[in-house]
Amino acid sequence: MRPSGRAPDEMRAISIQPNFTRHAEGSVLIGFGETKVLVTASVEERVPPFLRGKGEGWVTAEYGMLPRATHTRGSREAAKGKQSGRTQEIQRLIGRSLRAVCDLKALGERQITIDCDVIQADGGTRTASISGAWVALRLAVDGLMQAGKLTADPISRQVAAVSCGIYEGTPVLDLDYPEDSAADADANFVLTSDGNIAEVQATAEGACYDEEALLRLLRLARIGCGEIFAAQLKAAGR
Amino acid sequence: MRPSGRAPDEMRAISIQPNFTRHAEGSVLIGFGETKVLVTASVEERVPPFLRGKGEGWVTAEYGMLPRATHTRGSREAAKGKQSGRTQEIQRLIGRSLRAVCDLKALGERQITIDCDVIQADGGTRTASISGAWVALRLAVDGLMQAGKLTADPISRQVAAVSCGIYEGTPVLDLDYPEDSAADADANFVLTSDGNIAEVQATAEGACYDEEALLRLLRLARIGCGEIFAAQLKAAGR
Amino acid sequence: MRPSGRAPDEMRAISIQPNFTRHAEGSVLIGFGETKVLVTASVEERVPPFLRGKGEGWVTAEYGMLPRATHTRGSREAAKGKQSGRTQEIQRLIGRSLRAVCDLKALGERQITIDCDVIQADGGTRTASISGAWVALRLAVDGLMQAGKLTADPISRQVAAVSCGIYEGTPVLDLDYPEDSAADADANFVLTSDGNIAEVQATAEGACYDEEALLRLLRLARIGCGEIFAAQLKAAGR
Amino acid sequence: MRPSGRAPDEMRAISIQPNFTRHAEGSVLIGFGETKVLVTASVEERVPPFLRGKGEGWVTAEYGMLPRATHTRGSREAAKGKQSGRTQEIQRLIGRSLRAVCDLKALGERQITIDCDVIQADGGTRTASISGAWVALRLAVDGLMQAGKLTADPISRQVAAVSCGIYEGTPVLDLDYPEDSAADADANFVLTSDGNIAEVQATAEGACYDEEALLRLLRLARIGCGEIFAAQLKAAGR
Amino acid sequence: MRPSGRAPDEMRAISIQPNFTRHAEGSVLIGFGETKVLVTASVEERVPPFLRGKGEGWVTAEYGMLPRATHTRGSREAAKGKQSGRTQEIQRLIGRSLRAVCDLKALGERQITIDCDVIQADGGTRTASISGAWVALRLAVDGLMQAGKLTADPISRQVAAVSCGIYEGTPVLDLDYPEDSAADADANFVLTSDGNIAEVQATAEGACYDEEALLRLLRLARIGCGEIFAAQLKAAGR
Amino acid sequence: MRPSGRAPDEMRAISIQPNFTRHAEGSVLIGFGETKVLVTASVEERVPPFLRGKGEGWVTAEYGMLPRATHTRGSREAAKGKQSGRTQEIQRLIGRSLRAVCDLKALGERQITIDCDVIQADGGTRTASISGAWVALRLAVDGLMQAGKLTADPISRQVAAVSCGIYEGTPVLDLDYPEDSAADADANFVLTSDGNIAEVQATAEGACYDEEALLRLLRLARIGCGEIFAAQLKAAGR
């Protein structure tokens, strides 16, 4: 029995509120249950030094957790003077996931920076971030297309992510915090809307897991991402 | 004529949404027009080293601006590895303003940390932060009192803040971003509900100003803070 | 009764020793009683990136306190690896105060950096810094004018600063350390020689203060700055 | 055809030289072909703060790349003043992988720190690090057991890692640098000697991959880890 | 011919002004010609962690250069966020030099921190720092002895330092800046008043030097330190 | 009697293994007994900003100690976020020593960076670093000459270093760790193959030393460097 009473293959309620803030070229407030992440996409007409003059663009991401997004207050990374390993790992994952569905040549020599700031955390902040980031990116690219700055759409398909894990012996979809902190294995799947895999990060926390378990988690992830893909399209007005 | 069409002594719409997040002991989303700040109050049963064993509490504040709260994206302070002078100046001001209305002995040996994170910026982020912080602090202290952890209320009165300035020769209340970036003088007033002044920071940006102007700005601030005091009480359920 | 025996409107002895060091384009050792600050003005034929190519100059300031300027040794900011919030707040104030009396266009595309290093502290280090900085800046600009590098004088008037506060219920001028650490309110006024205000920073430390008190402190500040303006002119040879 | 001429399921030569340095409680120089990593295990009779007094031990890892381990010199992280996101990601992975095969209670209140320093890089530095780390840990724990400091062996089984990827359409085992930089997908598998999975990190670099590909890569990883397990036992004298 | 017209074995004027600042337990302003260093000695009734409970004291030093001590402004180390290698090298040398003439057991469990801040630089700042530091330390220890806190004098003898070098082929004493920047070899000698050597740091800048040259420089250093020893005693009132 | 049983003027076994790693333009693993340092020389076709456009090259060095090179694990400088004063002092010394035997004009506008990473420490890591660095530099320059990129050899002669000290009253050559930690004086000599001195750093650790002792240590250093010069030539294939 899951603490939330959900069925093993049941996602939490997905909410995606587009245009949550007004300055960013794209923005959403995404919720996976009580996990809430504000995601913005910022377009800049410049690229990082390693891409200058190559006629290609770049999509990158930054991630942060507000100090009291969690049950007890964590220290502010800006005050500590550095980002934790966890933060860096997550923001690298978000950036890779988005680049997996973008044609950077089609984007032209500009950069889109995705900022994912966790307002409230209840498990799955990185997967909510990726899932929301696609919508923010979609909105920002739509704006570039409407402004005639792009000749072809650089986004080839959708990307979404969800965490699955083995909780008290049962594979379950979309771990919330009570499950996440007790799960034997915790796997984050980043899937694309054409049925492929962009990234798998599956970690044994207690007992190690076998191939069969990995596949069962992947199947749950397909169910969850299916729901997210639908919510993304709706939020993006497609 | 103000860009927003407001009268010189007219505040922007004030909105204060209590309990915006669920983990913090107190939290609000405060809006002064398009400026939106998420403020949380976190209670911890410990005090900083300089107060240990003195039977006194502490109230302190941290401030941050999400990278895309502004018109163009600013760099993330956690990624740069340090907080700007502006950030530190603001968070020190917020902490001082709250301590001016708190009896730290009555709080007992515990610390309340106020986190002010700007979700969207349109001028006045520090004054909205202070004004919202009082409500978050009030809610957190109410919780301590309901839990029987305090014998006397450590909050003696309300504190609120507003910025005023001289815009195209006219003293105006509650500067928004277009006014703030063009004003000749910019004054932040932190006032208490018993009619006193906790802090004045009045800076000439272009021409310097005279005593008469300072007094006129102070009078506008009294008008604005009156409105904020009312909104605070309503949000705090008093 | 003030600890020093001074009258409420009595400044400490002001000493300004010009050309205290030999390499800087302008330098003074300023003393407000036992507070001693070494101020240098350095001219560089370059401007910060945000001003390049705009035909305008820049005046900025840095502030430091020698570790044993104070009663007990403070840690060295260079060793700690960062400047405190207080340091940054002060150096930003010094820079703003000087820019309030400078025509940056008339300065041409060059930067003048003011370094204020506190040799000995007894209250009022920021106000002594501002007051001395004007003389160092004046000397440096005089040098540029004598060298024919400027066609018009970029300094429009004098600027000086003094702290006032409410000590044991009485408004007093030019707080020394024993007063500063016990005062109910502490206000720093930055005034210009044409009778205007460049900046007010008035903070309640204990009880908050009212409008009448603010005005009485401002009037004391006018008396103090009057004396400083005279000492500045003498030190600058004018 | 692989650049090295290897068959798709062929590992590079594995070399593990135990006791490469003399001060560490365990140390090896591990080579996967031209990739060479010096791994040491250091035993300390203390645990991190979060474990004090809990009667449990800790195993953690740090990772570094010598500046000229690579084709062109990279900057030294100690000189830059921070570890990259990549470094932190890798050292977190190494630590998790080892903890997956350790009973931290059986270790007692002591910490073993694994240092993995890449002497020469040719792809697969993180997988060589994990594979060598198990041997260094084994040697250090053997020392503790011989000294009578442990009553039960805290290491439950072996752990090893290898990278696989899709290179020019073909799944291949143990990517070297030319393959790694051109592969469409890059998957790191951390497997245990009882046939389970401790961690999978599978990333699409170009085209995304499907479930079938993931399984084929996993099967290659089983082949590679089988060879590594044998080499580990031999190096550990078992 | 030396730029200053001095004879090869002629020191610059040595000035040592004791009690230059009022808060430090010992302080001097030392001048070697135009090089001016403010040195303070601060006594603290605590020792660094590695000495706690050992009944021994510690003497350590920190060094800094005010940004405009030099011909052109250098950046402030506190603003850059780290001390340069040169700064650290110098402060380690000052600390070692003083400890060479101190009996740390006789000092008891307390620390004396020497701060050397260069007000104006014209070559020889580290040697002036060491030479002044002995006087500041002497004054601080005298205070401890007068207060009855020490039973035996922990300072066994004097220590002083001077730089010598080979300038245009001639060994000369006490290099000033024009000589220092052109010298072929630059040697700093730290000598004790009983005729011994505490430290030699002799560096070839252009051509390397031979043993004969090293000895000639050492003999010059003995002449210079003799003069400094006399000035130290006078400044310390002995 | 030395702990190792060596005669006072006896070096430890010197081993220099050229081309220890494959990517660097020059590399050696140098051993002075149990002290082992990996040294690489990296050629880059660029110079630091202060040399741009001057037609001159640069030789610089960086130094690091692997965390478990020592008896007890030291913390990793990359993790601490800064290099210690000791590290900076050593890497500055290595760079100066090499530049003393290089004609930077003959090198042309390119930089050679020497990385010295201590694999195992048993005293004398800086002197082994310098001695090995000359061979790595020699190999890198030989490569440039063979590639026709240099018209004249920029290396004028050999440079080597050794530490000597006074151990239990006797001057001894090439201190190992047990001697180093107990010696009264510790002197590092950097000598050139034409019989000159590039640098002396001689520090009293306990009792100060006299001129005679300095000379005796220098003579021992000549013996030791003679052996190193021979080993360098052999390793460099000359």
Side-chain angles (χ1 to χ4, degrees), chain E residues 6 16 21 99 119 136 139 143 148 151 169-170 186 198-199 207 215 220 226 230:
Chain E
R6 280 186 284 152
I16 308 181
T21 63
R99 288 193 298 274
I119 300 292
L139 294 172
T151 51
T170 304
D186 175 10
E199 181 129 357
L215 291 177
L220 286 173

Side-chain angles (χ1 to χ4, degrees), chain E residues 143-223:
Chain E
L144 287 171
M145 295 187 78
Q146 281 151 25
K149 293 188 179 166
L150 293 174
T151 51
D153 185 351
I155 304 180
S156 60
R157 55 213 188 284
Q158 288 170 259
V159 68
V162 73
S163 76
C164 304
I166 300 174
Y167 176 74
E168 298 193 350
T170 304
V172 296
L173 173 62
D174 187 24
L175 302 175
D176 55 24
Y177 180 76
E179 289 169 338
D180 190 30
S181 51
D184 274 336
D186 175 10
N188 293 292
F189 293 92
V190 184
L191 304 182
T192 58
S193 53
D194 58 1
N196 281 323
I197 302 171
E199 181 129 357
V200 176
Q201 292 194 342
T203 305
E205 303 281 345
C208 292
Y209 55 91
D210 61 15
E211 186 172 328
E212 176 58 27
L214 181 64
L215 291 177
R216 291 181 66 187
L217 295 177
L218 173 54
R219 275 151 213 168
L220 286 173
R222 289 194 191 282
I223 295 170

Side-chain angles (χ1 to χ4, degrees), chain B residues 63-75:
Chain B
Y63 169 94
M65 176 97 84
L66 295 194
R68 195 54 197 281
T70 42
H71 284 81
T72 57
R73 185 175 184 275
S75 56

Side-chain angles (χ1 to χ4, degrees), chain A:
Chain A
M1 188 58 108
R2 304 179 72 172
S4 60
R6 280 187 282 153
D9 62 352
E10 188 181 344
M11 284 289 292
R12 289 176 287 179
I14 303 165
S15 63
I16 309 180
Q17 190 176 337
N19 305 316
F20 186 75
T21 63
R22 63 162 42 195
H23 299 314
E25 283 71 28
S27 84
V28 302
L29 181 71
I30 187 166
F32 278 12
E34 291 297 334
T35 289
K36 313 271 186 202
V37 185
L38 172 55
V39 185
T40 58
S42 298
V43 178
E44 290 166 301
E45 297 294 322
R46 56 178 188 76
V47 286
F50 69 90
L51 282 180
R52 273 180 210 146
K54 300 205 174 158
E56 247 180 275
W58 191 240
V59 175
T60 187
E62 289 188 6
Y63 170 94
M65 177 98 84
L66 295 193
R68 195 55 197 281
T70 43
H71 284 80
T72 56
R73 186 176 184 273
S75 55
R76 188 177 288 267
E77 291 189 329
K80 283 195 299 184
K82 64 176 185 176
Q83 294 178 297
S84 71
R86 179 185 172 276
T87 291
Q88 293 190 62
E89 202 169 301
I90 293 175
Q91 64 194 13
R92 284 157 55 89
L93 171 63
I94 301 168
R96 275 198 310 272
S97 299
L98 295 172
R99 289 193 298 273
V101 297
C102 280
D103 176 350
L104 297 172
K105 284 207 161 45
L107 182 58
E109 225 169 300
R110 55 175 62 85
Q111 172 167 303
I112 302 185
T113 302
I114 304 295
D115 285 288
C116 301
D117 285 278
V118 180
I119 300 293
Q120 189 170 281
D122 186 36
T125 64
R126 84 187 67 188
T127 54
S129 294
I130 292 167
S131 301
W134 184 85
V135 182
L137 179 67
R138 181 70 269 170
L139 294 172
V141 167
D142 286 350
L144 287 170
M145 295 187 77
Q146 279 150 27
K149 293 188 179 165
L150 293 174
T151 51
D153 186 352
I155 303 180
S156 60
R157 55 210 187 285
Q158 288 170 260
V159 69
V162 74
S163 76
C164 303
I166 300 174
Y167 177 73
E168 298 193 349
T170 304
V172 296
L173 173 62
D174 187 24
L175 302 176
D176 55 25
Y177 180 76
E179 291 169 336
D180 190 31
S181 51
D184 274 335
D186 175 9
N188 294 292
F189 293 92
V190 185
L191 305 182
T192 57
S193 53
D194 57 1
N196 281 324
I197 303 171
E199 181 130 356
V200 176
Q201 292 195 342
T203 305
E205 302 281 345
C208 292
Y209 55 90
D210 61 15
E211 188 173 325
E212 176 57 28
L214 180 64
L215 290 178
R216 290 181 65 187
L217 296 176
L218 172 54
R219 274 149 214 170
L220 287 172
R222 289 195 191 280
I223 295 170
C225 286
E227 285 186 45
I228 302 167
F229 289 137
Q232 286 177 331
L233 288 181
K234 199 170 152 199
R238 297 213 153 207

Side-chain angles (χ1 to χ4, degrees), chain E residues 39-54:
Chain E
V39 186
T40 59
S42 297
V43 178
E44 289 166 301
E45 297 294 321
R46 56 178 190 77
V47 286
F50 70 91
L51 282 180
R52 272 179 210 149
K54 300 206 174 157

Side-chain angles (χ1 to χ4, degrees), chain C:
Chain C
M1 190 58 108
R2 305 179 72 172
S4 61
R6 280 187 282 153
D9 63 352
E10 188 181 343
M11 285 288 291
R12 289 176 286 180
I14 302 165
S15 63
I16 308 180
Q17 188 176 338
N19 305 316
F20 187 74
T21 63
R22 63 162 43 197
H23 300 313
E25 283 72 28
S27 85
V28 302
L29 181 70
I30 187 166
F32 278 12
E34 290 298 333
T35 289
K36 313 272 186 201
V37 185
L38 172 56
V39 186
T40 59
S42 297
V43 178
E44 289 166 302
E45 297 294 323
R46 56 179 188 77
V47 286
F50 69 91
L51 283 179
R52 272 179 210 147
K54 301 206 175 158
E56 247 179 272
W58 190 241
V59 176
T60 186
E62 290 189 5
Y63 170 93
M65 176 97 84
L66 295 193
R68 195 55 197 280
T70 43
H71 285 81
T72 56
R73 186 175 184 273
S75 55
R76 186 177 288 266
E77 291 189 331
K80 283 195 297 185
K82 64 175 185 177
Q83 293 179 299
S84 70
R86 177 185 174 277
T87 291
Q88 292 190 63
E89 201 170 301
I90 293 175
Q91 63 194 12
R92 284 157 55 90
L93 171 63
I94 301 169
R96 276 199 309 273
S97 299
L98 295 172
R99 289 192 299 272
V101 298
C102 280
D103 176 350
L104 297 172
K105 284 207 162 47
L107 183 58
E109 225 170 297
R110 54 175 63 87
Q111 171 168 302
I112 301 184
T113 302
I114 303 295
D115 285 288
C116 301
D117 285 277
V118 180
I119 300 293
Q120 189 170 280
D122 186 36
T125 65
R126 83 187 68 189
T127 53
S129 293
I130 293 168
S131 301
W134 185 84
V135 182
L137 179 67
R138 181 70 268 171
L139 294 173
V141 166
D142 286 350
L144 287 170
M145 295 187 77
Q146 280 150 27
K149 292 187 179 166
L150 293 174
T151 51
D153 186 353
I155 303 179
S156 59
R157 55 212 189 284
Q158 289 170 258
V159 68
V162 75
S163 75
C164 304
I166 301 174
Y167 177 74
E168 298 193 349
T170 304
V172 297
L173 173 63
D174 188 25
L175 303 176
D176 55 26
Y177 180 76
E179 290 169 337
D180 190 30
S181 51
D184 275 335
D186 175 9
N188 293 291
F189 293 93
V190 184
L191 305 182
T192 57
S193 52
D194 57 1
N196 281 323
I197 303 171
E199 181 130 357
V200 176
Q201 292 194 342
T203 304
E205 302 280 345
C208 292
Y209 54 92
D210 61 14
E211 188 172 326
E212 176 58 25
L214 180 64
L215 290 178
R216 290 180 64 187
L217 296 176
L218 172 54
R219 275 150 213 170
L220 287 173
R222 289 195 191 280
I223 294 171
C225 286
E227 286 188 43
I228 301 166
F229 289 136
Q232 285 177 333
L233 288 182
K234 199 168 152 199
R238 296 213 151 206

Side-chain angles (χ1 to χ4, degrees), chain D residues 21-25 34 38 40 42 62 66-71 73 76 78 81 83 113 115 117 120-121, chain F residues 21-25 34 38 40 42 62 66-71 73 76-78 81 83 113 115 117 120-121:
Chain D
T21 64
R22 62 162 42 196
H23 299 313
E25 283 72 28
E34 290 297 334
L38 172 55
T40 58
S42 297
E62 290 188 6
L66 295 193
R68 195 54 198 282
T70 43
H71 284 81
R73 186 175 184 273
R76 187 177 287 267
Q83 294 178 298
T113 302
D115 285 290
D117 285 278
Q120 189 170 282
Chain F
T21 63
R22 63 162 43 196
H23 300 312
E25 283 72 28
E34 291 297 332
L38 172 56
T40 58
S42 298
E62 290 189 5
L66 295 194
R68 195 54 198 281
T70 43
H71 284 80
R73 186 174 184 274
R76 187 176 288 266
E77 292 189 329
Q83 295 179 297
T113 302
D115 284 288
D117 285 277
Q120 189 170 281

